[in-house]
Amino acid sequence: MDQVVITCAVDGPIAVPSDNPNLPYTPEQFAEQAKAVYAEGASVIHIHSRGADGLPTSDYGRTKEILDAVHESCPILTQLSTGGFFPYEERARLVELKPRMASLNLCTMTFGKFEFRNPPLEVRKVAARMMELGVKGELEIYDTGHLEFALRLLKEGLLVEPLQFSVVLGVDGGAAATPENLITLVKRMPPNAIWQMIGIGRANLPLTTIALAMGGNARTGLEDTLQYTKGVPADNPMLIRRLVGVAKAIGRTPATVEQTEQMLQLPKVNQAVAAAV
Ligand code: KMH
Ligand code: ZN
């Protein structure tokens, strides 16, 4: 597949502005960085909402402000995170803002020094609600069991094919960031699944490079790596520029927004599917 969907994960649930001055947290900064990474070839922006204090927030109104600012800035597709370490119902409510996509984390796990709660019944409810709203789920899998649970939800009619997977490797508490783990997970996916690589920290560049060579999609951004190279603070446009450079070097072209909508078979805006439950 020549085209490749490039996603920029601009901020994440953990780093704060003092970790890296390029981390966005105001609606204006999110809009400005959306425009900049879109110009570099990203067709999807993955957003964790942030308060005026720069810290992650699950505040509905603030998240709406950020999404509105990004939607007004450029045609990039918004993928809102329902991740993070807030009470689950606060995270789940964010899908009511109807971004084009939202992350759906499948299993509770240790996430570094945090407990990342994803209770199975709650995950099922959010999956069903996302179907009703026409919000495509970005299935974040950190280990083999997460993938198996996603396949179970598909069987229960709570997910719509093609499944859109993010293989996240290198989280303390998830599978290690090795090519073998990537290949094991990709081989277990349904043949029509669409997947992207998310490598944490130092693994980001090598594993996204391998993923590109495998025909997968790829993500980078300050959520995944705060450094460009050792000791050099990154910014989102430079990370996207480098990833696009790798893609082009092996003959792949960043997908446009329209191509991305096709490839991910995103529901048309406001095209909802009746949930199975
Ligand atoms: N930093 C990601 C690997 C989500 O966005 O839903 C974990 C995460 C999940 O933030
Ligand atoms: Zn995230």
Side-chain angles (χ1 to χ4, degrees):
M1 161 83 72
D2 273 357
Q3 274 107 23
V4 53
V5 176
I6 301 284
T7 294
C8 189
V10 289
D11 65 315
I14 299 174
V16 292
S18 56
D19 295 325
N20 181 316
N22 303 312
L23 200 79
Y25 60 91
T26 67
E28 298 72 24
Q29 289 165 343
F30 277 101
E32 189 188 307
Q33 294 201 24
K35 257 194 305 203
V37 299
Y38 175 69
E40 294 290 351
S43 57
V44 180
I45 181 169
H46 175 91
I47 293 170
H48 286 253
S49 189
R50 294 259 168 172
D53 59 3
L55 300 180
T57 181
S58 57
D59 182 84
Y60 190 84
R62 175 72 174 190
T63 308
K64 183 178 184 317
E65 267 182 74
I66 291 168
L67 277 182
D68 289 348
V70 170
H71 288 144
E72 279 151 34
S73 73
C74 67
I76 202 165
L77 298 166
T78 49
Q79 181 184 89
L80 182 61
S81 172
T82 64
F85 310 108
F86 305 102
Y88 197 86
E89 54 283 357
E90 291 175 16
R91 293 164 45 195
R93 184 171 174 239
L94 296 178
V95 301
E96 301 301 322
L97 289 165
K98 294 212 280 190
R100 290 305 294 278
M101 291 167 271
S103 62
L104 184 66
N105 294 277
L106 285 311
C107 298
T108 292
M109 65 186 282
T110 290
F111 195 104
K113 63 183 182 196
F114 299 98
E115 179 193 22
F116 189 23
R117 293 191 65 253
N118 297 292
L121 290 182
E122 300 307 315
V123 170
R124 286 184 167 88
K125 276 189 228 158
V126 174
R129 185 62 182 147
M130 286 166 74
M131 279 176 75
E132 286 168 2
L133 293 169
V135 176
K136 182 79 174 172
E138 176 231 352
L139 306 169
E140 299 218 2
I141 52 174
Y142 305 78
D143 214 330
T144 53
H146 299 220
L147 175 51
E148 297 307 317
F149 191 66
L151 299 177
R152 168 172 296 286
L153 295 186
L154 179 64
K155 275 206 191 90
E156 294 175 8
L158 291 171
L159 296 175
V160 180
E161 291 202 277
L163 298 184
Q164 180 188 345
F165 287 111
S166 288
V167 177
V168 190
L169 297 178
V171 169
D172 286 347
T178 65
E180 298 85 351
N181 283 339
L182 169 59
I183 291 165
T184 301
L185 286 162
V186 172
K187 279 169 65 175
R188 182 73 186 133
M189 292 175 186
N192 65 348
I194 296 146
W195 62 275
Q196 71 170 349
M197 181 68 224
I198 299 176
I200 303 300
R202 273 197 303 275
N204 185 255
L205 183 56
L207 282 182
T208 48
T209 298
I210 292 169
L212 289 169
M214 289 168 62
N217 300 301
R219 170 179 123 168
T220 190
L222 294 180
E223 175 167 349
D224 302 332
T225 176
L226 290 172
Q227 299 200 13
Y228 187 68
T229 51
K230 195 164 168 41
V232 177
D235 66 42
N236 285 307
M238 73 199 287
L239 289 170
I240 293 296
R241 194 174 311 124
R242 179 169 65 182
L243 186 60
V244 166
V246 172
K248 288 182 174 171
I250 59 170
R252 302 194 64 191
T253 314
T256 63
V257 162
E258 294 70 27
Q259 288 166 338
T260 300
E261 289 174 313
Q262 292 290 323
M263 290 163 71
L264 303 187
Q265 293 185 37
L266 294 187
K268 295 273 173 290
V269 179
N270 301 325
Q271 180 194 7
V273 174
V277 287

